[in-house]
Amino acid sequence: MSTNTKTPATPDTPAPPRLLTAGSAPHPDLYNEDLAPLPESRRRWGWFEIFNVWTNDVQSLAGYTLAASLFITAGINGWWVFAAIVLAGLFVNWLVNLTGTPSVRYGIPYAVMARAGMGVRGATFPALVRGIVAIFWYGAQTYFASTAVALALNAVFGSPGGPTVLGMTGVDWVSYLIVAAIQILLFVRGITWIERFLNVAGPAVYVVMVALLVAIWVQAGDELLPAVGGIFSNDDVQGWAVVTAFLGVVGTMVAYFSAVIINFGDFSRFSRTERGMKIGNFTGLPLSLALFTFLSLFITAGAYVVYQDGQGDPLTNPADIVGQVGNTALTVVAALTFLVATIGINLVANFIPPAYDLSNLAPQRISFRRGGYLTALFGFVIGALWVAVINQIGLPKFVDTLGAVLAPLYGVLVADYYLVQRRALLVEDLYSMDPAGRYHYVNGWNLRAIAAFAAAAAFSVAAVWVPWLVELSGFAWVIGAVIGAVLYVAVMTGRRQPATN
């Protein structure tokens, strides 16, 4: 197997993708145009595009619902919850810088990056796991987006109601079909259209949230600030339990972003520079998350006073809150804006990655587009069952479980690149079935990596579901990632690669 001449790269300039040399054609089971290294000439993203990836992820209806739920259910003072969410944003910022850097440098997606640690064949396993989790999230987010459409339709047509099927009315089902169709149409138009979609959606949501807060504040008057103080004064948990609850909020928010954390290379490969990627990450994660959480808190508290008279459980879905405003025009505009934001991040975080991952299973038979259609089909079924089945689990537990599955894969991926491969990849070997290739291992599988993942995943998932491990449930993602990394480095002792860059 021939190797390419390595060109050193500065931290701000990605090295040229290691294009395959003559006589070293990629194996057809490992290569198609979508999985190939992306040349610098096709990298159009600056910091603003990366910022919008995170802004839309933060601003989704599921993101709002999760943040609002944590303020209500964490059992600790609201200021501590706010601090925990911001801390989670800083932590996620650090995590995605680690996974994004190699893909900026080499221009390869996550499914290919995983071959270095798991083997050129074995990488189909983590890619499939990541794809399944993304498809679950895709279905869930499609449902959440459809609630915004249903809100607008009910506002215009006066809530016609009618019989329900699987927990959804006729309007709900029509809304769900509309969202599913819009997402497929945008996917077919390509990444450029999705970029434009995100660049409009992100700023628009903040405009609508501010308008919604003003509308609620006008009606709440002097009662708004005391209402916020009431949520902030939650002190159900005392002593050492405050610390574990605080860290649990951090862990749950990290788990919420886990699907994007692990395959962030699918997005960073479009970045022109590593510096631009890092600026986009910082502005889009801790800064944007802090602002969004602040607005969410005041809107939730104000709605609790104005529309619920301080009775019952506060509304946590912004679509439900908007529906109480009583202004049809604002309701429709707000609903459409939340729809746009949720669809935008659903395409980027939960549609594109599994399309790559499914394509990686059989590159010559499943194209990127065909992988997208399969994602849409499976996700449609999952979203249709959201109200009747999946929602019964509860959103925080659902998020923690999916995060616990993905966490060990993150640990293996990062430990392999930074500690075992020593930040240097042979890109030719990522597309080769040559037994002498660096990433061939045993028939293309690194069984040691699979074992490390399985052991770590078993513990992290148990931390969510086993009653006597309930104290660790909020930390399931961190636990899984750390155990996965430690076990992987341990089983790979003696296989550390020499630095070649």
Side-chain angles (χ1 to χ4, degrees):
M1 175 58 114
S2 60
T3 58
N4 295 311
T5 302
K6 304 296 186 295
T7 303
T10 65
D12 193 40
T13 306
R18 277 46 170 181
L19 300 177
L20 303 174
T21 60
S24 60
H27 195 281
D29 288 346
L30 302 173
Y31 181 91
N32 61 29
E33 289 187 6
D34 299 310
L35 298 175
L38 193 68
E40 290 184 65
S41 60
R42 292 176 55 194
R43 302 185 193 186
R44 301 183 303 272
W45 285 19
W47 73 269
F48 186 66
E49 284 73 20
I50 295 293
F51 164 80
N52 275 321
V53 166
W54 294 115
T55 297
N56 282 273
D57 197 7
V58 169
Q59 294 171 346
S60 70
L61 290 170
Y64 183 108
T65 299
L66 179 61
S69 297
L70 290 173
F71 274 103
I72 296 166
T73 63
I76 56 177
N77 186 281
W79 287 114
W80 283 112
V81 176
F82 182 82
I85 292 175
V86 174
L87 179 60
L90 290 168
F91 186 48
V92 172
N93 177 74
W94 178 67
L95 294 173
V96 295
N97 283 341
L98 291 177
T99 49
T101 295
S103 286
V104 173
R105 187 175 191 186
Y106 293 100
I108 54 177
Y110 159 72
V112 174
M113 181 71 195
R115 294 173 185 173
M118 292 286 187
V120 290
R121 290 288 194 193
T124 58
F125 172 70
L128 181 60
V129 172
R130 168 64 181 96
I132 291 172
V133 171
I135 289 170
F136 264 87
W137 263 122
Y138 175 78
Q141 292 278 31
T142 299
Y143 165 75
F144 274 101
S146 73
T147 63
V149 177
L151 172 66
L153 293 178
N154 283 323
V156 173
F157 297 107
S159 300
T164 63
V165 177
L166 292 177
M168 295 196 290
T169 67
V171 170
D172 295 333
W173 278 106
V174 169
S175 302
Y176 188 69
L177 290 170
I178 289 173
V179 173
I182 291 174
Q183 291 179 134
I184 293 175
L185 288 175
L186 283 170
F187 174 73
V188 170
R189 296 304 297 266
I191 191 67
T192 300
W193 273 76
I194 294 174
E195 289 172 18
R196 295 171 181 169
F197 196 83
L198 291 176
N199 290 345
V200 171
V205 169
Y206 278 125
V207 172
V208 169
M209 287 191 72
V210 170
L212 180 59
L213 176 58
V214 170
I216 291 175
W217 203 326
V218 168
Q219 296 180 64
D222 295 338
E223 296 182 59
L224 179 60
L225 293 180
V228 172
I231 292 179
F232 272 172
S233 65
N234 190 343
D235 290 310
D236 294 341
V237 176
Q238 301 292 330
W240 177 251
V242 172
V243 177
T244 58
F246 176 85
L247 294 177
V249 172
V250 175
T252 297
M253 288 303 298
V254 171
Y256 171 73
F257 291 109
S258 63
V260 185
I261 290 172
I262 189 172
N263 71 287
F264 185 63
D266 289 341
F267 316 124
S268 67
R269 70 193 294 241
F270 293 102
S271 295
R272 292 188 291 268
T273 66
E274 184 180 329
R275 180 173 180 270
M277 175 199 73
K278 289 182 176 179
I279 293 174
N281 286 340
F282 183 74
T283 55
L285 275 166
L287 296 185
S288 183
L289 184 59
L291 176 59
F292 183 78
T293 303
F294 183 82
L295 291 172
S296 300
L297 173 64
F298 272 75
I299 290 172
T300 301
Y304 187 55
V305 170
V306 175
Y307 307 124
Q308 298 179 257
D309 294 324
Q311 304 298 315
D313 295 327
L315 297 173
T316 58
N317 187 330
D320 295 334
I321 294 174
V322 170
Q324 302 291 324
V325 172
N327 184 317
T328 301
L330 177 59
T331 297
V332 171
V333 170
L336 293 179
T337 304
F338 279 117
L339 166 68
V340 167
T342 303
I343 284 180
I345 194 55
N346 209 22
L347 287 170
V348 172
N350 305 317
F351 202 116
I352 291 175
Y356 278 124
D357 296 335
L358 293 175
S359 177
N360 183 63
L361 296 177
Q364 300 306 309
R365 292 189 294 275
I366 304 177
S367 65
F368 175 70
R369 178 169 290 191
R370 185 170 294 179
Y373 291 147
L374 290 173
T375 298
L377 175 62
F378 295 136
F380 182 89
V381 174
I382 291 168
L385 295 173
W386 179 262
V387 175
V389 180
I390 303 173
N391 194 43
Q392 304 306 312
I393 298 174
L395 187 57
K397 200 159 192 175
F398 176 76
V399 169
D400 285 339
T401 302
L402 296 185
V405 173
L406 287 177
L409 295 179
Y410 177 89
V412 170
L413 183 74
V414 170
D416 178 69
Y417 179 73
Y418 289 95
L419 300 178
V420 176
Q421 305 299 334
R422 299 180 66 183
R423 308 190 187 203
L425 300 177
L426 296 178
V427 172
E428 280 188 356
D429 286 9
L430 293 172
Y431 298 90
S432 171
M433 284 297 295
D434 186 339
R438 176 181 288 185
Y439 314 115
H440 190 265
Y441 300 105
V442 179
N443 297 322
W445 289 77
N446 185 356
L447 300 180
R448 301 182 185 193
I450 300 296
F453 161 77
F459 187 86
S460 59
V461 172
V464 178
W465 288 96
V466 176
W468 59 273
L469 292 175
V470 67
E471 294 290 334
L472 301 177
S473 61
F475 320 125
W477 193 95
V478 175
I479 291 171
V482 171
I483 294 178
V486 170
L487 290 179
Y488 179 76
V489 172
V491 300
M492 293 299 287
T493 299
R495 293 193 60 108
R496 190 179 184 195
Q497 301 297 335
T500 55
N501 275 37

